[in-house]
Amino acid sequence: MKADWARAYGPWALVTGASDGIGRAMAQEIARRGVNVILTARRIDQLEALATEIRKRHSVETRVIPANLAEANAPAQLMAASADLDIGLVVACAGFGTSGSIVATAMADEVEMVDLNCRALLVIAKHAAEVLSARGRGGIVLMSSIVAFQGVRSAANYAATKAYVQVLAEGMSEDLRQAGVDVIASAPGPVASGFAQRARMRMGRAELPLTVARESLDALGTRRTVRPGMLSKILGWSLASLPRTVRIRIMAGIMDGMTRHQHVQAPKKAS
């Protein structure tokens, strides 16, 4: 099983957003399956530490390429810096979210989110599609989300970026099937990672990143979309048959619970 997986998706995998959360778990799980990993994210110290850990634990090779993929030229530079390696798997985990009313969030943050979650992902995914199609085998994992299937109050732009990723993955899966390239959208629910802190959310129950990584990689080559973790499965099943307007209201309630602390005012000091 391990050898077959490595043969299909090795010898090298590229993981973006590898310094934390799902990206870090993806890199560890891919290495456990016997595939060398290219690690990219902004924080070089965390990448170097992860690379050392992976080499010691799994006896595979690593390459660290620090990059801020929200910058216009960074995706192309990443492709150039890894062009000498035979990459059979690309896992695009780099991304972030914001929360709050669209009228209250900072425009710079919203534009940067589109640059990272959509534009950079497209550049990397399209390049991977071209290389892997010519190669005749390989895989691409794009990180969607449970919020990708309807509009979401207090996360309007983030949900829109994930809807883009979801639809892109579905279309690419059909485009590349005959070329022997597997493409999957992974749509988890809340995950215990640094994402919530940056997005200013407070999550109650959350899946472990390793659960998301393992279930996503296990599903690669078997379906177009995977909902890793029990929370995502429950939400997906319960919302799937409902009208879109009802899904929007339900997701608004869920987001209200995760952002309620933003609206709680600190008690006034006695004068």
Side-chain angles (χ1 to χ4, degrees):
M1 176 77 175
K2 180 177 177 180
D4 290 343
W5 200 92
R7 190 158 42 247
Y9 302 116
W12 282 89
L14 168 65
V15 182
T16 72
S19 62
D20 185 40
I22 297 173
R24 179 183 177 88
M26 285 283 191
Q28 293 171 321
E29 179 62 15
I30 289 167
R32 187 184 71 83
R33 299 176 185 220
V35 176
N36 307 312
V37 285
I38 306 162
L39 309 170
T40 186
R42 294 175 302 162
R43 293 170 288 190
I44 188 169
D45 55 337
Q46 294 190 27
L47 292 178
E48 293 285 7
L50 176 59
T52 299
E53 176 187 334
I54 284 175
R55 288 195 300 270
K56 288 181 178 178
R57 180 173 296 181
H58 302 294
S59 300
V60 299
E61 296 181 59
T62 63
R63 178 177 293 183
V64 169
I65 305 176
N68 179 0
L69 294 176
E71 296 177 353
N73 295 326
Q77 292 169 350
L78 171 62
M79 297 299 99
S82 56
D84 60 313
L85 301 177
D86 184 10
I87 297 173
L89 177 65
V90 172
V91 183
C93 296
F96 73 94
T98 59
S99 67
S101 169
I102 193 68
V103 302
T105 56
M107 178 64 81
D109 291 341
E110 301 299 325
V111 172
E112 182 184 6
M113 181 164 53
V114 172
D115 284 340
L116 181 57
N117 294 10
C118 300
R119 182 190 55 79
L121 178 139
L122 170 63
V123 173
I124 293 168
K126 187 178 187 309
H127 178 84
E130 293 167 354
V131 170
L132 296 177
S133 293
R135 189 173 180 263
R137 61 186 174 89
I140 300 172
V141 180
L142 303 183
M143 292 308 303
S144 176
S145 169
I146 193 66
V147 303
F149 304 97
Q150 65 284 300
V152 180
R153 183 170 72 204
S154 297
N157 190 33
Y158 174 68
T161 67
K162 291 303 178 178
Y164 173 81
V165 175
Q166 177 67 36
V167 174
L168 178 67
E170 291 172 354
M172 286 180 59
S173 177
E174 293 301 309
D175 273 345
L176 303 181
R177 186 184 305 277
Q178 296 303 315
V181 180
D182 300 322
V183 182
I184 195 168
S186 175
V191 179
S193 69
F195 173 90
Q197 182 177 2
R198 182 168 184 180
R200 298 194 306 132
M201 296 178 188
R202 289 181 181 172
M203 299 175 179
R205 296 180 60 192
E207 295 293 350
L208 294 175
L210 187 57
T211 298
V212 175
R214 286 182 175 171
E215 291 191 18
S216 299
L217 294 173
D218 284 346
L220 183 61
T222 67
R223 64 189 85 164
R224 286 189 295 271
T225 298
V226 59
R227 297 178 184 270
M230 189 53 64
L231 291 174
S232 181
K233 290 179 177 64
I234 291 172
L235 281 172
W237 292 332
S238 61
L239 296 177
S241 61
L242 298 177
R244 194 176 185 91
T245 54
V246 177
R247 299 204 307 269
I248 290 171
R249 289 199 296 270
I250 292 174
M251 290 302 299
I254 293 172
M255 278 300 301
D256 286 349
M258 291 192 289
T259 59
R260 187 173 293 117
H261 65 282
Q262 297 179 16
H263 312 295
V264 175
Q265 295 182 348
K268 295 181 179 179
K269 294 182 179 179
S271 57

